[in-house]
Amino acid sequence: MTAPVTPVVVPGPGELAEAAASWTAERITRAVAERRACYLALAGGDTPRGCYDRLAQPPYRDTLPWSSVFVYWSDERQVPLDDPASNYAMAKAALLDHVPIPPEQVFPLVGDPTPALRRIPADAGGRPRFDVIQLGLGEDGHTASLFPGSPALREAEALVAYVHDAPKPPPERVTLTLPVINAARAVLFTVLGASKREALARVLRRDPALPASLVQPVDGELQFIVDRAAFGNS
Ligand code: 6PG
Protein backbone atom coordinates (compact mmCIF):
# COMPACT_ATOMS: atom_id res chain seq x y z
CA MET A 1 0.00 0.00 0.00
CA THR A 2 1.36 3.46 -0.88
CA ALA A 3 2.12 6.04 1.81
CA PRO A 4 -0.74 8.17 3.17
CA VAL A 5 -1.17 11.59 1.58
CA THR A 6 -1.30 14.86 3.53
CA PRO A 7 -3.75 17.31 2.00
CA VAL A 8 -3.79 21.08 1.98
CA VAL A 9 -6.83 21.98 4.07
CA VAL A 10 -8.54 25.32 3.46
CA PRO A 11 -11.58 26.91 5.19
CA GLY A 12 -14.11 26.75 2.36
CA PRO A 13 -15.00 26.89 -1.39
CA GLY A 14 -13.55 30.35 -2.01
CA GLU A 15 -10.18 29.49 -0.52
CA LEU A 16 -10.19 26.17 -2.32
CA ALA A 17 -10.76 27.88 -5.69
CA GLU A 18 -7.92 30.31 -4.93
CA ALA A 19 -5.48 27.60 -3.82
CA ALA A 20 -6.32 25.31 -6.76
CA ALA A 21 -5.96 28.17 -9.26
CA SER A 22 -2.61 29.20 -7.81
CA TRP A 23 -1.34 25.58 -7.80
CA THR A 24 -2.45 25.06 -11.39
CA ALA A 25 -1.07 28.39 -12.61
CA GLU A 26 2.35 27.59 -11.14
CA ARG A 27 2.51 24.33 -13.03
CA ILE A 28 1.26 25.81 -16.31
CA THR A 29 3.98 28.46 -16.08
CA ARG A 30 6.66 25.89 -15.26
CA ALA A 31 5.64 23.49 -18.06
CA VAL A 32 5.73 26.23 -20.68
CA ALA A 33 9.03 27.60 -19.37
CA GLU A 34 10.64 24.14 -19.45
CA ARG A 35 8.96 22.51 -22.48
CA ARG A 36 7.21 25.38 -24.32
CA ALA A 37 3.80 23.74 -23.89
CA CYS A 38 1.45 22.64 -21.13
CA TYR A 39 -0.83 19.62 -21.53
CA LEU A 40 -3.69 20.07 -19.08
CA ALA A 41 -6.63 17.75 -18.31
CA LEU A 42 -9.59 19.44 -16.61
CA ALA A 43 -11.85 17.75 -14.08
CA GLY A 44 -15.60 17.52 -14.34
CA GLY A 45 -18.37 17.82 -11.77
CA ASP A 46 -19.11 20.96 -9.72
CA THR A 47 -16.08 21.26 -7.42
CA PRO A 48 -13.51 22.56 -10.00
CA ARG A 49 -15.78 25.32 -11.36
CA GLY A 50 -14.51 27.81 -8.73
CA CYS A 51 -10.91 27.16 -9.79
CA TYR A 52 -11.79 27.71 -13.46
CA ASP A 53 -13.65 30.93 -12.62
CA ARG A 54 -10.58 32.11 -10.71
CA LEU A 55 -8.16 31.27 -13.55
CA ALA A 56 -10.40 33.35 -15.84
CA GLN A 57 -9.77 36.45 -13.71
CA PRO A 58 -6.70 38.68 -13.23
CA PRO A 59 -3.86 38.09 -12.78
CA TYR A 60 -4.07 34.56 -14.29
CA ARG A 61 -6.29 35.58 -17.21
CA ASP A 62 -3.74 38.20 -18.36
CA THR A 63 -0.44 36.64 -17.38
CA LEU A 64 -0.53 32.88 -18.04
CA PRO A 65 0.92 31.64 -21.38
CA TRP A 66 -2.50 30.45 -22.59
CA SER A 67 -1.39 30.26 -26.23
CA SER A 68 0.89 27.34 -25.22
CA VAL A 69 -1.76 25.41 -23.29
CA PHE A 70 -3.42 22.27 -24.71
CA VAL A 71 -6.68 21.35 -22.95
CA TYR A 72 -8.21 17.92 -22.46
CA TRP A 73 -10.61 16.41 -19.88
CA SER A 74 -10.11 13.68 -17.28
CA ASP A 75 -13.54 12.34 -18.19
CA GLU A 76 -16.70 13.29 -19.99
CA ARG A 77 -20.38 12.46 -19.88
CA GLN A 78 -21.68 11.15 -23.18
CA VAL A 79 -24.00 14.09 -23.77
CA PRO A 80 -23.93 16.83 -26.42
CA LEU A 81 -21.13 19.36 -25.83
CA ASP A 82 -23.70 22.11 -25.28
CA ASP A 83 -25.61 20.07 -22.71
CA PRO A 84 -25.61 21.48 -19.14
CA ALA A 85 -24.32 18.07 -17.95
CA SER A 86 -21.26 18.28 -20.22
CA ASN A 87 -17.92 18.72 -18.45
CA TYR A 88 -16.69 20.49 -21.58
CA ALA A 89 -19.61 22.94 -21.42
CA MET A 90 -18.91 23.75 -17.77
CA ALA A 91 -15.21 24.46 -18.38
CA LYS A 92 -15.97 26.43 -21.54
CA ALA A 93 -18.36 28.75 -19.72
CA ALA A 94 -16.14 29.14 -16.64
CA LEU A 95 -12.69 29.34 -18.29
CA LEU A 96 -12.22 28.70 -22.01
CA ASP A 97 -14.52 31.55 -23.13
CA HIS A 98 -12.38 34.00 -21.13
CA VAL A 99 -8.77 33.09 -21.93
CA PRO A 100 -6.88 33.05 -25.27
CA ILE A 101 -6.35 29.32 -25.75
CA PRO A 102 -6.42 28.64 -29.51
CA PRO A 103 -9.55 26.56 -30.28
CA GLU A 104 -7.43 24.03 -32.16
CA GLN A 105 -5.68 23.29 -28.84
CA VAL A 106 -8.91 22.27 -27.07
CA PHE A 107 -9.73 18.55 -27.23
CA PRO A 108 -13.07 17.54 -25.72
CA LEU A 109 -13.29 13.81 -24.94
CA VAL A 110 -15.66 12.98 -27.81
CA GLY A 111 -15.65 10.25 -30.44
CA ASP A 112 -12.32 8.39 -30.20
CA PRO A 113 -10.05 10.72 -28.22
CA THR A 114 -7.00 8.47 -28.75
CA PRO A 115 -5.54 10.34 -31.77
CA ALA A 116 -5.79 13.65 -29.90
CA LEU A 117 -4.19 12.08 -26.81
CA ARG A 118 -1.38 10.68 -28.93
CA ARG A 119 -0.40 14.28 -29.77
CA ILE A 120 0.84 14.65 -26.19
CA PRO A 121 4.56 13.90 -25.73
CA ALA A 122 4.83 10.38 -24.29
CA ASP A 123 6.71 8.93 -21.34
CA ALA A 124 9.21 6.04 -21.64
CA GLY A 125 6.27 3.60 -21.69
CA GLY A 126 4.66 5.38 -24.63
CA ARG A 127 1.87 6.90 -22.55
CA PRO A 128 0.81 10.54 -23.01
CA ARG A 129 2.45 12.46 -20.16
CA PHE A 130 0.17 15.27 -19.04
CA ASP A 131 1.74 18.18 -17.19
CA VAL A 132 -1.37 18.64 -15.03
CA ILE A 133 -4.40 16.43 -14.45
CA GLN A 134 -7.25 17.74 -12.31
CA LEU A 135 -9.59 15.28 -10.58
CA GLY A 136 -12.54 15.29 -8.23
CA LEU A 137 -13.77 12.72 -5.73
CA GLY A 138 -17.18 11.09 -5.48
CA GLU A 139 -18.81 9.98 -2.21
CA ASP A 140 -18.23 6.36 -3.30
CA GLY A 141 -14.53 7.02 -3.89
CA HIS A 142 -14.77 7.31 -7.66
CA THR A 143 -12.65 9.77 -9.60
CA ALA A 144 -12.95 10.85 -13.24
CA SER A 145 -15.37 8.15 -14.42
CA LEU A 146 -13.52 5.34 -12.68
CA PHE A 147 -16.17 3.85 -10.37
CA PRO A 148 -15.76 1.11 -7.73
CA GLY A 149 -15.78 -2.34 -9.34
CA SER A 150 -15.69 -0.95 -12.88
CA PRO A 151 -13.76 -2.97 -15.52
CA ALA A 152 -12.30 0.40 -16.58
CA LEU A 153 -10.10 0.19 -13.47
CA ARG A 154 -8.30 -2.80 -14.93
CA GLU A 155 -7.56 -1.19 -18.29
CA ALA A 156 -3.79 -1.46 -18.77
CA GLU A 157 -3.30 -0.48 -22.42
CA ALA A 158 -6.05 1.79 -23.77
CA LEU A 159 -5.76 5.51 -23.06
CA VAL A 160 -9.48 5.89 -22.44
CA ALA A 161 -12.25 3.59 -21.27
CA TYR A 162 -15.96 3.76 -21.98
CA VAL A 163 -18.39 3.37 -19.09
CA HIS A 164 -21.99 2.34 -19.77
CA ASP A 165 -23.43 1.93 -16.29
CA ALA A 166 -22.02 4.72 -14.15
CA PRO A 167 -23.82 4.87 -10.77
CA LYS A 168 -23.62 8.69 -11.03
CA PRO A 169 -25.84 10.03 -13.87
CA PRO A 170 -25.46 10.06 -16.76
CA PRO A 171 -24.53 6.35 -17.07
CA GLU A 172 -22.67 6.67 -20.38
CA ARG A 173 -19.21 8.18 -19.93
CA VAL A 174 -15.63 8.17 -21.21
CA THR A 175 -12.65 8.44 -18.91
CA LEU A 176 -8.87 8.61 -18.97
CA THR A 177 -7.52 5.31 -17.70
CA LEU A 178 -5.30 4.84 -14.64
CA PRO A 179 -2.09 4.27 -16.64
CA VAL A 180 -2.57 7.67 -18.32
CA ILE A 181 -3.49 9.43 -15.08
CA ASN A 182 -0.50 7.89 -13.30
CA ALA A 183 1.87 8.93 -16.10
CA ALA A 184 1.19 12.62 -15.35
CA ARG A 185 3.77 15.06 -13.96
CA ALA A 186 1.24 16.48 -11.51
CA VAL A 187 -2.22 15.41 -10.35
CA LEU A 188 -4.52 17.65 -8.29
CA PHE A 189 -7.61 16.45 -6.40
CA THR A 190 -10.00 19.14 -5.20
CA VAL A 191 -12.60 18.02 -2.66
CA LEU A 192 -15.41 20.01 -1.04
CA GLY A 193 -18.02 19.27 1.58
CA ALA A 194 -18.90 16.98 4.48
CA SER A 195 -20.51 14.42 2.16
CA LYS A 196 -17.03 13.52 0.94
CA ARG A 197 -15.52 13.10 4.41
CA GLU A 198 -15.52 9.29 4.65
CA ALA A 199 -14.33 8.74 1.08
CA LEU A 200 -11.59 11.35 1.48
CA ALA A 201 -10.33 9.82 4.73
CA ARG A 202 -10.09 6.38 3.09
CA VAL A 203 -8.42 7.76 -0.05
CA LEU A 204 -5.85 9.69 1.99
CA ARG A 205 -5.11 6.40 3.83
CA ARG A 206 -4.75 4.90 0.32
CA ASP A 207 -7.52 2.33 0.82
CA PRO A 208 -7.18 0.30 -2.44
CA ALA A 209 -10.91 -0.49 -2.51
CA LEU A 210 -11.57 3.07 -3.66
CA PRO A 211 -10.63 4.00 -7.24
CA ALA A 212 -9.24 7.42 -6.25
CA SER A 213 -6.66 5.64 -4.07
CA LEU A 214 -5.26 4.03 -7.22
CA VAL A 215 -4.19 7.44 -8.49
CA GLN A 216 -0.50 7.44 -7.68
CA PRO A 217 1.72 9.17 -10.26
CA VAL A 218 4.67 6.92 -11.20
CA ASP A 219 7.03 9.88 -11.56
CA GLY A 220 5.04 12.92 -10.56
CA GLU A 221 3.41 14.82 -7.75
CA LEU A 222 0.04 14.16 -6.13
CA GLN A 223 -1.76 16.96 -4.34
CA PHE A 224 -5.07 17.16 -2.50
CA ILE A 225 -6.65 20.54 -1.77
CA VAL A 226 -9.72 20.04 0.39
CA ASP A 227 -11.96 22.12 2.59
CA ARG A 228 -12.40 21.70 6.34
CA ALA A 229 -15.85 20.18 5.92
CA ALA A 230 -14.43 17.39 3.76
CA PHE A 231 -11.39 16.91 5.96
CA GLY A 232 -13.45 16.69 9.07
CA ASN A 233 -12.17 19.54 11.24
CA SER A 234 -14.88 22.11 10.59
C1 6PG B 1 -17.95 13.77 -13.38
C2 6PG B 1 -16.66 13.88 -12.67
C3 6PG B 1 -16.64 13.12 -11.36
C4 6PG B 1 -16.58 14.20 -10.28
C5 6PG B 1 -16.97 13.66 -8.91
C6 6PG B 1 -17.15 14.78 -7.92
O1 6PG B 1 -17.98 13.89 -14.59
O2 6PG B 1 -18.98 13.60 -12.73
O3 6PG B 1 -15.58 13.84 -13.37
O4 6PG B 1 -15.57 12.26 -11.18
O5 6PG B 1 -15.30 14.76 -10.22
O6 6PG B 1 -18.17 12.96 -9.06
O7 6PG B 1 -18.20 15.59 -8.39
P1 6PG B 1 -18.60 16.97 -7.69
O8 6PG B 1 -17.41 17.85 -7.79
O9 6PG B 1 -19.74 17.49 -8.47
O10 6PG B 1 -18.93 16.64 -6.25
Side-chain angles (χ1 to χ4, degrees):
M1 192 137 85
T2 47
V5 181
T6 305
V8 169
V9 182
V10 298
E15 293 87 357
L16 186 134
E18 188 64 46
S22 160
W23 186 94
T24 304
E26 206 179 296
R27 282 150 190 81
I28 290 174
T29 304
R30 191 188 308 157
V32 174
E34 292 173 3
R35 293 175 294 278
R36 293 186 300 170
C38 178
Y39 294 90
L40 167 66
L42 300 176
D46 298 330
T47 303
R49 189 193 307 265
C51 170
Y52 304 156
D53 288 336
R54 187 66 194 85
L55 287 169
Q57 295 159 17
Y60 305 120
R61 180 194 62 195
D62 312 317
T63 58
L64 287 179
W66 296 110
S67 62
S68 302
V69 176
F70 296 77
V71 181
Y72 296 76
W73 276 259
S74 308
D75 74 325
E76 185 58 275
R77 297 103 178 253
Q78 302 273 40
V79 295
L81 290 181
D82 59 359
D83 188 292
S86 159
N87 289 336
Y88 166 83
M90 183 275 276
K92 182 175 185 302
L95 175 62
L96 303 180
D97 285 346
H98 313 284
V99 294
I101 297 175
E104 64 273 17
Q105 292 174 203
V106 177
F107 303 94
L109 282 188
V110 290
D112 176 9
T114 304
L117 289 164
R118 287 279 178 222
R119 297 171 57 133
I120 301 170
D123 68 4
R127 296 195 174 97
R129 184 155 162 74
F130 279 97
D131 295 292
V132 177
I133 293 185
Q134 292 203 357
L135 295 171
L137 178 67
E139 293 168 19
D140 60 358
H142 79 260
T143 190
S145 285
L146 297 166
F147 292 90
S150 167
L153 292 168
R154 294 190 295 281
E155 184 52 65
E157 294 309 322
L159 306 183
V160 297
Y162 296 90
V163 176
H164 305 291
D165 56 356
K168 178 183 177 182
E172 298 284 339
R173 293 159 169 264
V174 57
T175 183
L176 294 181
T177 56
L178 282 169
V180 173
I181 294 173
N182 287 333
R185 284 190 169 82
V187 175
L188 173 67
F189 279 90
T190 53
V191 186
L192 272 177
S195 68
K196 306 286 177 72
R197 193 173 292 179
E198 194 212 330
L200 178 61
R202 290 176 64 186
V203 169
L204 294 176
R205 286 199 308 271
R206 317 311 281 155
D207 175 347
L210 300 190
S213 300
L214 307 177
V215 174
Q216 186 64 57
V218 174
D219 174 18
E221 61 179 309
L222 175 62
Q223 180 66 276
F224 282 74
I225 302 177
V226 308
D227 75 343
R228 287 190 187 138
F231 190 61
N233 62 1
S234 61

